[in-house]
Amino acid sequence: MSMASDILDVLNVNKETRNEHQQKKKKKHIIHFEESANKRKKIGAMNRELANLMGPNLAPINITHHQPNKKFKDRLTDLQTIQPSWTSTPFTNGSRSDGLQLKHWVKGKLDLLESKKPYIYEKYNTSLDIPDFTEDDYKKLLKDINPDWSYKETKYLFDMAKRYDLRWAVIIDSYEYVPDEDEITVKKEDQNKVDDKEKSKDDEKKETKTYTPRTVEDLKDQLYKVSSKLLNSKKEDGVVKDVALIKALDSFDKNKEIERKKYLNRLLHRAPTEIAEEESLVIEARKFELAAKKMLMERAQLLQLLDSPQSSAPILQFLTSSGLTQLYNTLMTVDKSKKRKTEAPVAPQLGPNAIPYTQQLAKQQAVQQQAQAHKQQQQQGGSAAAGANGHHGDKKSQKQQQHQQQKPQSEILKLLQSRLTPEEMEVYGIKFHEDKVQAGVYLRSQKIVTFKPAVQSKVVEILNELGISMRLTMPTGAVCGKFDKLMHRIASLVDLKKQTDKIEAEVTLMKRQKGML
Amino acid sequence: MAPSISSKRIRNISVSRPIIYGNIAEKVSEKNPLPASSPSDHTHTWKVFLADPLGNDLSQYIKKVVFKLHDTYVNSSRSIESPPFEVHETGWGEFEIVIKIYFQNDCGEKNITLYHHLKLHPYPTHADIQRAGGDEEAALRIAAAENVSGHVESIQYDELVFNEPTERMFKLLTQKPGSLLPYKSDKTPFTKVAEREELDRIDKAMEEINKLVEQRQIEFKKLEEERKKIVQL
């Protein structure tokens, strides 16, 4: 431990940075540290000193098989026996042309090594299959492709292509063709015709001037065209596989290639403003497209609308005025037969007794229905002689009505009301409700009003004080009604008591406060 | 064929019919021996019933009545489909009987459930307690002594209310006037007089409550004013 810190001091490593560094890798080292802490007891004296010397960050050392019982000496000898020996053997590289013999280490003992395998890196020595041609070939076929190119230059080009594996970037970089004098003289003659004055200048300069330096496109062009022709000429053997290749070679267009590169260059060097402009233009174009589409749709819809609807039945009969009225009548009857309430306009009743419109309508309807009921009474005639026949008579007439026609419910109601005296109603146990009641059967005692449990208990208490029990002895209609009212009254009493208590408390509180003041 | 009577409901109308239900129990004695089939530890014979206070025929509108007795009885669910709607039984203990009333099919009404506590032993009445000077046990003894006959009754008056009955139901219910209660009668305690008494009692109570409410209201107002005064201070 002390040794490590000494070393670090010598090296002038700051404690803080060390800690930082340690903290960054804390996770890994915590585990490591804990493990080492656990194993510390097992480490011998010498090893401990060694560990101290090396410091807390142990470098990963030898990967040995853990043999705790064996001594170090024995483990050393084991190393030699376990691992194989290496031999330095000579070899030749088949890719080389000079037959150079070098030596390299091979695993295993000399005796076992007799197999002569080819050098493993020979397989990477590949080259492209670029066609070859002779001067004769050139003069016969290839001269006419491009008069600007000589046999020598073409040969040079092909040689470069082969050497550099058709990597155009490299080829154009190291393309240093020096044209011969013969070629230049031809060009020189041409020049004579053009300009005499330039003769006085340096011949060499002229020569260099006439020979235009080749561009990548030129080279490509020449190579592809020549190869294409050569491959075509070798057709005699039945060239199936190369047809695709020939096609591909022929598809090269020099001018197009130049244009393409120009465009690409321009694209890559657009200014940001230009990019933004382009994007906005694209968006606008899309908007226009959508708008155009929409307009087309709307137009189609309009056309559909404007087209008069096709009638299924012949309409000739309705074209005359009489036919028109007939049509109108049929429609009206159909409308009427659908049994809709005739919405006759009702004059609003203004003034001191003004009532809302809907109520007025309801009233009108009621009046109308009563009028209808009276009409029917008159229709019934003799048998409906009011009251003369007593109960059964009433019943009969009622039954008759029920059997004869299906009257709206209110009719029966109105009839009953007008027929039965209040006593009779009581006898029959019939009761009218103004408001809507829920349909169903129930027991009167079961529908006694109840409140929330807290209130209920107080109410019951008060009831008991008054001498009335919750269970009524005679829960008839009248009794129940009165009882209901009583319950509500008691409930309101209880509520009132609560409120008074509240206010009383408030008042005393405030009094105390103010009193103190 | 006559046009069928619609099963439409008559709106804004309700018909009520009175019924009484309950039980009568008698102690087993020489006069009232136990029937052969019942076990010997039964001490009372009783009958639970549902009837009309005037004795009218309920089967007009009631199809059947189901009395559900205690589970210890054989066939604890007794269905009575014709009048008189009652069950005769013997027993020794009191329990709650569930009475379900089913109405005629074409009436379109659901069944109704009533609960009745079978009473076999006499309870001391209010009057008895007063006589005993507030002592309930003594009152019980008095009641028992008085009830020498061993006859105990527990009958309840109630009314079935049919809201918005169907036309058919309406017909059935109104074939005969059924709501007529006797003005005064020795046979039943449920008379018009009793009703009147109840109404009077309620009226009295109402008056008292009203008085109290007025008092409280005055108090409330006073307190309100006080509070306002204090707040303004």
Side-chain angles (χ1 to χ4, degrees):
Chain A
M1 288 179 287
S2 52
M3 292 267 193
S5 54
D6 289 342
I7 292 170
L8 289 165
D9 278 335
V10 167
L11 292 170
N12 228 4
V13 175
N14 217 352
K15 221 184 184 184
E16 289 160 4
T17 53
R18 211 183 94 206
N19 281 335
E20 272 177 32
H21 191 69
Q22 277 180 352
Q23 268 172 7
K24 278 182 192 172
K25 297 189 181 178
K26 216 177 186 181
K27 275 189 183 174
K28 291 184 199 171
H29 278 263
I30 281 172
I31 303 164
H32 193 72
F33 196 68
E34 279 171 4
E35 283 178 359
S36 60
N38 288 333
K39 288 184 185 171
R40 230 170 235 175
K41 293 172 188 172
K42 294 186 185 174
I43 301 169
M46 170 145 156
N47 293 339
R48 192 195 53 196
E49 286 299 311
L50 187 67
N52 290 339
L53 190 70
M54 290 198 290
N57 301 341
L58 294 166
I61 330 168
N62 53 336
I63 308 153
T64 51
H65 304 285
H66 185 57
Q67 291 156 347
N69 297 324
K70 266 195 169 179
K71 287 196 178 176
F72 188 65
K73 297 183 271 180
D74 300 327
R75 274 191 261 161
L76 268 179
T77 49
D78 283 339
L79 282 173
Q80 279 193 335
T81 50
I82 290 164
Q83 282 166 358
S85 58
W86 291 72
T87 40
S88 168
T89 36
F91 73 99
T92 46
N93 187 354
S95 311
R96 294 182 78 91
S97 45
D98 46 9
L100 176 68
Q101 234 201 22
L102 299 168
K103 284 198 223 171
H104 64 194
W105 290 99
V106 178
K107 204 173 181 182
K109 291 211 166 166
L110 191 66
D111 331 312
L112 311 166
L113 273 183
E114 284 303 334
S115 58
K116 274 220 165 178
K117 290 183 214 160
Y119 182 51
I120 40 167
Y121 295 109
E122 278 180 27
K123 67 184 173 191
Y124 297 114
N125 189 29
T126 55
S127 62
L128 285 175
D129 192 15
I130 292 172
D132 228 348
F133 58 93
T134 60
E135 191 158 2
D136 290 329
D137 287 330
Y138 186 79
K139 281 187 185 161
K140 271 187 250 174
L141 301 164
L142 312 168
K143 205 175 183 182
D144 310 313
I145 291 173
N146 199 337
D148 215 12
W149 281 75
S150 65
Y151 164 71
K152 263 198 172 176
E153 197 172 355
T154 320
K155 195 77 188 179
Y156 177 71
L157 171 66
F158 269 70
D159 192 40
M160 291 284 271
K162 211 175 215 170
R163 206 189 316 164
Y164 294 122
D165 286 332
L166 219 58
R167 286 183 231 264
W168 292 109
V170 183
I171 291 170
I172 191 70
D173 196 43
S174 47
Y175 195 82
E176 286 165 1
Y177 181 71
V178 180
D180 283 347
E181 283 184 10
D182 316 327
E183 297 161 13
I184 297 167
T185 48
V186 172
K187 289 170 191 166
K188 211 179 167 185
E189 280 174 18
D190 293 330
Q191 274 281 345
N192 273 332
K193 294 171 191 172
V194 177
D195 204 341
D196 288 322
K197 286 188 183 176
E198 286 186 316
K199 239 187 174 178
S200 55
K201 294 188 183 173
D202 257 359
D203 284 327
E204 287 176 0
K205 277 188 186 172
K206 269 193 202 170
E207 285 155 16
T208 49
K209 268 185 190 174
T210 53
Y211 171 70
T212 51
R214 304 283 183 202
T215 58
V216 184
E217 287 84 32
D218 294 332
L219 300 176
K220 279 191 190 176
D221 192 39
Q222 177 71 356
L223 188 98
Y224 294 147
K225 284 194 178 147
V226 168
S227 318
S228 157
K229 247 203 167 169
L230 281 169
L231 289 169
N232 259 324
S233 64
K234 290 178 187 172
K235 250 197 245 174
E236 297 131 19
D237 301 344
V239 181
V240 183
K241 51 176 176 173
D242 283 352
V243 171
L245 182 60
I246 292 164
K247 240 187 177 177
L249 292 170
D250 285 335
S251 66
F252 180 82
D253 190 348
K254 181 156 84 169
N255 292 323
K256 273 195 183 163
E257 187 71 10
I258 294 169
E259 287 259 336
R260 179 183 75 86
K261 287 200 177 159
K262 220 198 294 178
Y263 287 144
L264 197 62
N265 203 26
R266 280 216 347 234
L267 184 76
L268 291 170
H269 289 98
R270 281 181 304 173
T273 49
E274 281 180 37
I275 296 170
E277 203 186 323
E278 270 177 44
E279 273 178 37
S280 63
L281 283 170
V282 164
I283 290 168
E284 266 183 67
R286 236 175 259 162
K287 271 193 218 166
F288 283 135
E289 267 177 54
L290 283 172
K293 227 184 187 181
K294 226 185 189 181
M295 208 179 69
L296 280 170
M297 288 255 295
E298 279 175 18
R299 194 187 286 172
Q301 278 176 1
L302 260 178
L303 284 172
Q304 246 184 11
L305 267 176
L306 289 172
D307 274 338
S308 47
Q310 308 287 333
S311 58
S312 51
I315 59 162
L316 280 171
Q317 51 176 300
F318 297 119
L319 286 175
T320 58
S321 57
S322 57
L324 202 64
T325 46
Q326 201 181 24
L327 177 68
Y328 174 74
N329 287 333
T330 45
L331 284 172
M332 284 302 280
T333 46
V334 164
D335 204 36
K336 273 186 192 164
S337 66
K338 282 186 187 170
K339 277 193 178 176
R340 258 183 288 151
K341 283 186 187 174
T342 50
E343 288 158 359
V346 178
Q349 205 178 35
L350 304 165
N353 298 328
I355 49 172
Y357 184 73
T358 44
Q359 278 187 22
Q360 205 177 351
L361 272 178
K363 264 193 178 179
Q364 264 210 344
Q365 278 181 4
V367 166
Q368 278 177 3
Q369 278 175 352
Q370 271 202 338
Q372 262 193 324
H374 277 294
K375 255 194 196 171
Q376 280 177 356
Q377 280 183 29
Q378 283 164 12
Q379 280 176 9
Q380 291 301 315
S383 63
N389 292 334
H391 302 307
H392 298 285
D394 288 354
K395 285 278 112 200
K396 271 190 186 165
S397 63
Q398 267 184 39
K399 273 193 195 172
Q400 273 180 3
Q401 281 195 336
Q402 277 179 2
H403 279 293
Q404 283 169 12
Q405 292 148 348
Q406 281 190 2
K407 295 286 172 187
Q409 305 307 344
S410 49
E411 290 267 325
I412 294 177
L413 271 180
K414 298 297 172 193
L415 206 66
L416 289 171
Q417 256 181 339
S418 57
R419 291 309 191 117
L420 303 171
T421 60
E423 287 164 358
E424 286 169 353
M425 272 179 40
E426 210 186 302
V427 158
Y428 281 105
I430 301 170
K431 196 184 168 195
F432 291 104
H433 306 273
E434 292 298 319
D435 48 341
K436 218 188 175 188
V437 206
Q438 251 213 343
V441 203
Y442 66 89
L443 212 58
R444 235 193 255 283
S445 54
Q446 287 176 350
K447 286 266 178 161
I448 299 177
V449 70
T450 51
F451 309 101
K452 283 182 284 178
V455 180
Q456 181 77 358
S457 55
K458 288 191 196 146
V459 168
V460 169
E461 220 185 283
I462 293 172
L463 267 179
N464 289 335
E465 277 178 32
L466 294 164
I468 301 177
S469 75
M470 277 297 285
R471 285 191 86 193
L472 301 168
T473 45
M474 293 282 293
T476 59
V479 169
C480 275
K482 281 222 162 157
F483 191 71
D484 243 6
K485 280 190 200 157
L486 183 67
M487 291 286 270
H488 281 293
R489 220 64 171 92
I490 297 173
S492 63
L493 180 70
V494 168
D495 199 33
L496 198 62
K497 178 150 197 312
K498 224 195 330 183
Q499 285 185 6
T500 47
D501 286 340
K502 246 198 249 176
I503 286 198
E504 217 185 304
E506 253 188 75
V507 165
T508 45
L509 186 71
M510 281 199 281
K511 267 191 183 163
R512 229 175 260 165
Q513 283 179 344
K514 303 269 173 159
M516 293 293 239
L517 288 172
Chain B
M1 184 169 160
S4 59
I5 299 160
S6 66
S7 56
K8 271 198 279 179
R9 290 179 174 278
I10 311 173
R11 267 189 278 142
N12 296 11
I13 208 171
S14 72
V15 186
S16 74
R17 276 304 200 98
I19 51 164
I20 53 170
Y21 64 94
N23 77 286
I24 306 175
E26 279 224 25
K27 236 197 221 159
V28 167
S29 64
E30 284 173 1
K31 276 194 271 176
N32 179 22
L34 263 183
S37 53
S38 40
S40 51
D41 61 341
H42 286 187
T43 55
H44 289 77
T45 58
W46 51 265
K47 80 162 182 187
V48 64
F49 64 92
L50 179 83
D52 188 88
L54 301 167
N56 290 332
D57 188 17
L58 284 175
S59 61
Q60 271 175 10
Y61 58 93
I62 291 182
K63 184 173 80 170
K64 70 174 180 185
V65 181
V66 176
F67 295 91
K68 176 109 176 54
L69 311 173
H70 197 260
D71 296 327
T72 51
Y73 281 95
V74 176
N75 297 340
S76 60
S77 204
R78 307 282 169 91
S79 176
I80 316 293
E81 267 142 62
S82 63
F85 299 106
E86 51 189 46
V87 172
H88 291 259
E89 261 295 345
T90 57
W92 53 263
E94 299 180 348
F95 56 88
E96 190 165 78
I97 305 174
V98 184
I99 307 171
K100 267 207 174 120
I101 309 175
Y102 292 85
F103 301 102
Q104 298 289 359
N105 278 336
D106 28 12
C107 299
E109 303 283 359
K110 265 173 62 178
N111 57 62
I112 255 194
T113 317
L114 309 162
Y115 301 93
H116 176 69
H117 184 86
L118 184 76
K119 185 177 171 192
L120 301 176
H121 310 289
Y123 301 143
T125 60
H126 198 69
D128 294 331
I129 293 172
Q130 278 186 335
R131 262 190 284 163
D135 186 10
E136 280 196 34
E137 274 190 31
L140 195 68
R141 265 178 272 133
I142 292 169
E146 287 198 336
N147 210 340
V148 180
S149 60
H151 182 89
V152 171
E153 279 186 18
S154 166
I155 305 172
Q156 185 79 9
Y157 171 91
D158 220 321
E159 288 190 356
L160 285 169
V161 184
F162 300 89
N163 264 343
E164 296 195 0
T166 60
E167 286 184 22
R168 181 132 175 78
M169 190 61 158
F170 189 75
K171 256 190 70 185
L172 286 174
L173 290 171
T174 51
Q175 266 164 10
K176 237 181 153 191
S179 267
L180 212 55
L181 286 175
Y183 192 71
K184 226 181 185 180
S185 160
D186 300 320
K187 294 184 219 164
T188 62
F190 307 112
T191 58
K192 277 246 188 277
V193 175
E195 194 190 341
R196 196 100 278 279
E197 279 177 8
E198 183 116 40
L199 282 171
D200 288 337
R201 262 184 291 158
I202 292 178
D203 279 334
K204 253 194 354 192
M206 193 70 161
E207 274 179 42
E208 276 196 48
I209 294 283
N210 280 335
K211 270 195 265 174
L212 281 172
V213 167
E214 277 176 35
Q215 277 181 4
R216 287 275 172 80
Q217 273 181 342
I218 294 167
E219 257 187 65
F220 186 79
K221 279 186 192 148
K222 265 203 297 186
L223 283 170
E224 265 284 343
E225 283 174 26
E226 252 195 270
R227 194 177 79 99
K228 277 187 192 159
K229 267 194 268 174
I230 293 173
V231 167
Q232 283 166 0
L233 271 177

